[in-house]
Amino acid sequence: MTQPILTAAIVGAETTRAQNPNLPITAEEIGIEAARCREQGAAIVHLHVREPDGRPSQRTELFARAIEEIQKRTDVVIQTSTGGAVGMTAEERGQPVSLKPEMATLNCGSLNFGDEVFENPFPLLRRMAALIRDAGVTPELELYELGHLDNALILEKEGLLTRPFHVQFVLGVKGGMQPSEARVRLFASELPAGSTFGIAGVGRHQLSMVRLALSLGGNARVGLEDNIYLRKGVLARGSWELCAEARRIAGELGRELATPDEARELLGLRRRG
Ligand code: KMH
Ligand code: ZN
């Protein structure tokens, strides 16, 4: 088994300060939180940004400032979101790709998302995939159910994606596929040879999915974007505390987390900056 890569999803678009006061919002807070997560084993930071009042945003300038504050402090791989928040246009969502981050997400299909619909129709997928490809950025494929893998394979046939696929199974969204070991095993077994996969378990599933992912040779994602609790009724003091917990689980399984440079090697990334 290769070394597992831990991603910290430290901001997100849905979590609010009212839900967890430790959510970073300003560029400086984001930079500090990214460095703390790195200290606790994270190699990748999955990045969203917020307007000063906390509203989710995809503005290039806010991403540029957050990236600067992260890079001042630490060497993590920065993966910008192109998912943004439900309801944003493709144009809004694609903005951070212009900064040529090392990675960007590509959400590979639509789904119910809480009481709303996260829309990713084929024209948007094609546009986003082309934007990422043309910027020379490595995509991480966000798959919320198995049909989204079929969508990625269609994009590949159209020349918009190349292998190896780096996949994140996002499981536990209300409206998407819920996590179970059998489903994860099926998902992983369907991936093209040479793919890597991680699991982002949403809500109470987060830490159990870290254990499952690592035991199946996959990567893991934790952070306040997906889950605000360290355990039932106890708010996490930051995404760093969830990273520490993921690292403890990795240790129990006899696995050592990849450093950012090891992650770059494993994912075949071109280092920036
Ligand atoms: N906020 C979700 C609607 C991504 O970052 O690419 C989408 C999301 C996925 O967070
Ligand atoms: Zn995200």
Side-chain angles (χ1 to χ4, degrees):
M1 282 192 198
T2 56
Q3 269 178 298
I5 300 169
L6 179 63
T7 294
I10 64 178
V11 182
E14 290 80 27
T15 307
T16 64
R17 273 259 169 94
Q19 293 170 321
N20 187 321
N22 302 308
L23 184 79
I25 287 180
T26 67
E28 191 184 14
E29 289 166 353
I30 289 171
I32 291 168
E33 183 63 14
R36 285 186 181 145
C37 289
R38 161 75 166 106
E39 275 169 30
Q40 300 302 331
I44 300 177
V45 164
H46 168 74
L47 188 64
H48 290 250
V49 292
R50 303 293 180 99
E51 296 292 340
D53 65 3
R55 275 179 304 123
S57 175
Q58 288 290 103
R59 279 206 289 137
T60 312
E61 190 198 334
L62 292 173
F63 271 99
R65 275 199 247 138
I67 289 170
E68 192 187 329
E69 292 292 331
I70 294 172
Q71 289 180 333
K72 245 166 48 183
R73 294 175 173 84
T74 187
D75 60 348
V76 286
V77 173
I78 297 173
Q79 176 194 85
T80 58
S81 171
T82 66
V86 171
M88 288 179 174
T89 63
E91 194 180 5
E92 273 179 274
R93 285 169 53 178
Q95 290 173 90
V97 177
S98 66
L99 298 169
K100 298 190 188 296
E102 286 185 277
M103 298 187 88
T105 58
L106 179 68
N107 291 268
C108 290
S110 302
L111 74 154
N112 285 345
F113 202 97
D115 289 343
E116 301 175 296
V117 179
F118 182 30
E119 289 185 35
N120 292 290
F122 273 110
L124 182 147
L125 294 189
R126 291 191 185 100
R127 179 172 171 177
M128 212 64 84
L131 193 69
I132 293 169
R133 179 198 58 190
D134 296 346
V137 172
T138 301
E140 177 184 271
L141 311 182
E142 311 295 295
L143 310 182
Y144 300 79
E145 51 107 327
L146 198 44
H148 293 172
L149 176 59
D150 298 316
N151 297 348
L153 292 167
I154 291 170
L155 296 178
E156 184 197 19
K157 274 210 183 86
E158 294 179 358
L160 292 162
L161 278 181
T162 52
R163 296 185 190 188
F165 287 177
H166 300 303
V167 162
Q168 191 73 258
F169 303 144
V170 186
L171 303 177
V173 171
K174 184 182 166 203
M177 192 160 129
Q178 300 305 298
S180 76
E181 180 168 345
R183 289 168 180 193
V184 170
R185 283 183 182 277
L186 174 64
F187 230 139
S189 73
E190 292 283 326
L191 293 176
S195 303
T196 67
F197 76 92
I199 311 177
V202 174
R204 64 192 166 85
H205 305 289
Q206 184 163 84
L207 292 169
S208 61
M209 286 301 110
V210 170
R211 188 176 291 280
L212 179 62
L214 268 45
S215 64
L216 295 178
N219 302 317
R221 175 168 123 173
V222 295
L224 297 187
E225 171 166 344
D226 304 327
N227 163 47
I228 58 173
Y229 293 106
L230 181 63
R231 55 179 179 273
K232 198 171 168 46
V234 180
L235 288 177
R237 285 179 289 167
S239 294
W240 62 269
E241 197 170 22
L242 295 161
C243 289
E245 197 55 22
R247 183 156 69 176
R248 191 187 61 71
I249 293 168
E252 275 179 22
L253 296 170
R255 316 287 307 286
E256 198 177 321
L257 298 173
T259 64
D261 279 344
E262 287 164 345
R264 288 182 174 97
E265 190 74 35
L266 288 164
L267 300 173
L269 304 180
R270 289 176 233 169
R271 185 156 193 175
R272 311 244 184 238

